[in-house]
Amino acid sequence: MRTKPGLVQASSILVIIMILTNIFNYGFHSMASRILGPADYGALVSMLALLIAIAIPSQAIQMVVTKFVSTEELSGRLDRIAGFVFQAMIRSLILGSVIWLALIISSRFLADFLHLQSPAPIIAVGFAGLVWLALPVVRGTLQGFQQFNHLGLNLLVDGIVRLGIGAFFFFVGFRVTGGVYAGGLAGALACVLTGIPLRRLFVQPVVKISNLEFKQLYRYGVPVVLSLGAFMLLTSLDVIMVKHYFIPEQAGYYSAGSLVGKAFLFLPFAVAQVLFPKVSAGQERAENTYFLLRKSLLLTGGIIVVGVILIWFVAPVIILTLFGKQFMNSTTLLLVQCFGMAFLPLALIYILLQYNIAIQNKRFVVVLLLDMPVFLLSLIFFHASLQQVLLVVGLNHLLTCLACYFLTPRKRNV
């Protein structure tokens, strides 16, 4: 059997590929902000935040698939993996179709709530959500096999195609709605392309996974859905509330700052892609895995601190490069400088979340669930200015990170 890459080696590979991927992702946002202007760009980012919220099960699906594949690969049961992937894809498509239908029915209400001129972007979110619920099945399979090179390249292709399709849609005047559809169509192509590295599964006799096994996976998946759902809301709830409470131009400025802040989340996403299957496999072999968490936290925290310091000095260049002169003002400058500090604890929360899910520590989810109403109420009562909203975000994430850290079981590497 081929030797699996180590944590630092595999994380480094994914980080490099994700940097390239995010060059194209930020190219998409740079193009969108210039073509759409602050008001429509704020609407686009709020649609993407809504997409993240309604596609909450996607991360949970990927983690459940990853755990199943990484466990079954230990016994060489490719036939069971092939059967599971097929059944999981069917169930994900059914779930995505139901969510899409629900968004079509409620599109007028949501458009009014978010001050959109048309329900069309909401319907586009439904299509993209369907794709986002199918994509984690195949990406989770790559992750479970620890094929990190193929996983990274799939993400890179997704970013490149999204930029190209987005450019076409914006050119023909398909504004906010086109920006959302670009993400959905790029994801659909990325899903199809995973058939190349996973082609060995196509020649396997498909073994049907029993409903009992799926029920056991669902029981494992419930705390995963709840944990990841709460985390995804932590990353996007403020953008949605700002879109509701503030005028379109201010919402656009906040969206620009938020986009820069979310750049700091790509590092923990890359590290966690490696950490989770390694910890899951280690748990299956009854190995001690806490040292992997320590390495991941130190790697993530150290790099992000350097990035936060760097962005403080180059924030004007970032604003002009990514968004253009129409975004260059004191409000956007302060948001771009400070969003990294607000998102640093959120990045560490994601590492802690992945580790606790891998070792099946269900107490962890309680902290995130309790934080949701606190975070929402804080945003409702304290939104006198964009700066105050960001302060609420930073304090909430810091306190939640500390609570999550102290609830994580302490295990020593032996």
Side-chain angles (χ1 to χ4, degrees), residues 221-298:
V222 167
V224 176
V225 171
L226 294 176
S227 299
L228 287 168
F231 177 82
M232 298 311 286
L233 287 175
L234 285 177
T235 68
S236 56
L237 186 59
D238 57 321
V239 174
I240 295 174
M241 298 304 291
V242 164
K243 184 67 176 70
H244 176 67
Y245 283 118
F246 290 83
I247 63 174
E249 286 75 17
Q250 286 184 303
Y253 300 147
Y254 190 87
S255 296
S258 176
L259 181 68
V260 175
K262 286 177 181 176
F264 292 102
L265 297 182
F266 293 118
L267 175 63
F269 286 170
V271 173
Q273 294 277 335
V274 180
L275 176 68
F276 182 76
K278 289 188 175 296
V279 173
S280 296
Q283 286 293 111
E284 190 69 19
R285 295 190 294 262
E287 296 175 352
N288 196 315
T289 56
Y290 185 69
F291 74 101
L292 292 173
L293 174 64
R294 291 202 305 267
K295 283 185 178 180
S296 299
L297 289 174
L298 288 173

Side-chain angles (χ1 to χ4, degrees), residues 188-363:
L189 177 62
C191 188
V192 172
L193 291 178
T194 57
I196 298 174
L198 296 177
R199 59 187 178 276
R200 59 175 169 157
L201 293 182
F202 300 151
V203 299
Q204 298 295 322
V206 177
V207 175
K208 182 176 174 58
I209 307 301
S210 68
N211 289 329
L212 178 60
E213 283 190 89
F214 265 102
K215 288 180 180 179
Q216 292 173 342
L217 289 170
Y218 289 153
R219 282 197 291 269
Y220 169 77
V222 167
V224 176
V225 171
L226 294 176
S227 299
L228 287 168
F231 177 82
M232 298 311 286
L233 287 175
L234 285 177
T235 68
S236 56
L237 186 59
D238 57 321
V239 174
I240 295 174
M241 298 304 291
V242 164
K243 184 67 176 70
H244 176 67
Y245 283 118
F246 290 83
I247 63 174
E249 286 75 17
Q250 286 184 303
Y253 300 147
Y254 190 87
S255 296
S258 176
L259 181 68
V260 175
K262 286 177 181 176
F264 292 102
L265 297 182
F266 293 118
L267 175 63
F269 286 170
V271 173
Q273 294 277 335
V274 180
L275 176 68
F276 182 76
K278 289 188 175 296
V279 173
S280 296
Q283 286 293 111
E284 190 69 19
R285 295 190 294 262
E287 296 175 352
N288 196 315
T289 56
Y290 185 69
F291 74 101
L292 292 173
L293 174 64
R294 291 202 305 267
K295 283 185 178 180
S296 299
L297 289 174
L298 288 173
L299 177 64
T300 302
I303 295 178
I304 289 181
V305 167
V306 173
V308 167
I309 295 173
L310 180 62
I311 281 185
W312 184 271
F313 294 102
V314 299
V317 177
I318 292 175
I319 295 171
L320 290 174
T321 302
L322 287 181
F323 309 110
K325 292 182 179 179
Q326 54 190 332
F327 283 81
M328 191 64 212
N329 54 64
S330 59
T331 299
T332 308
L333 179 62
L334 182 62
L335 290 170
V336 168
Q337 289 176 324
C338 296
F339 243 110
M341 289 183 282
F343 270 31
L344 170 58
L346 190 60
L348 300 180
I349 289 173
Y350 190 74
I351 297 294
L352 290 164
L353 182 155
Q354 294 275 336
Y355 180 80
N356 278 275
I357 291 176
I359 65 173
Q360 301 185 45
N361 174 29
K362 297 180 180 179
R363 294 181 303 167

Side-chain angles (χ1 to χ4, degrees), residues 135 139 142 150-158 190-191 193-194:
L135 196 51
R139 283 182 175 165
L142 290 174
H150 288 298
L151 178 61
L153 288 173
N154 189 263
L155 293 168
L156 180 58
V157 170
D158 193 340
C191 188
L193 291 178
T194 57

